[in-house]
Structures are given as C-alpha cells and as structure tokens.
Amino acid sequence: MTRMRSSREQDERRGGPPSLSPEIEAIADRVRRLLPSRHDPERFHVEKDEIERELRRLARRSTR
C-alpha cells in the first residue's frame, strides 16, 4: 500500500522550501483526523476548541 505524502514532504522531495511551518502541518494533520465519535461525542468538540486556540495563538505570534 502506498502512503500519501504530506505537502511538506512533497516540497522537500522537489528540493523547495516547506510551504508551512511544522506547527501548522501538525495542526492540519489533527484536523484531517478529526471525526465525531458516537462513543465520546464531546471529545470532538473539545479537540475542535483546542485546535482553534492553537491556530489563534499562531496567528497572534505571526503578527508580532
């Protein structure tokens, strides 16, 4: 089975600079895996709120 490469891996393979910082790449991976669960429906909303806080923190940091 062939593994899909992240955009960062594709950029590095082409010899170009990574398009996103490692923190944003990690958040993007978390968003991709984010799914509601019938066993723990609240966990989806908790994780969504955590991702939102991290994105806002990165946005504030990038404007300094």
Side-chain angles (χ1 to χ4, degrees):
M1 183 170 155
T2 304
R3 182 176 75 87
M4 302 247 341
R5 296 184 196 286
S6 71
S7 61
R8 188 175 81 207
E9 287 175 322
Q10 290 172 0
D11 287 344
E12 289 171 353
R13 191 171 176 181
R14 285 187 223 124
S19 60
L20 299 173
S21 76
E23 288 178 275
I24 295 174
E25 284 284 344
I27 292 171
D29 290 339
R30 287 172 59 196
V31 168
R32 178 176 295 271
R33 292 188 308 267
L34 187 61
L35 294 171
S37 167
R38 65 185 180 126
H39 301 290
D40 188 4
E42 186 178 346
R43 182 68 200 146
F44 171 82
H45 297 287
V46 169
E47 182 70 13
K48 180 181 61 119
D49 290 344
E50 289 174 7
I51 290 170
E52 178 188 8
R53 277 192 301 276
E54 288 181 38
L55 288 170
R56 291 184 188 282
R57 179 185 55 82
L58 286 171
R60 281 191 306 272
R61 197 171 83 188
S62 71
T63 59
R64 290 183 188 170

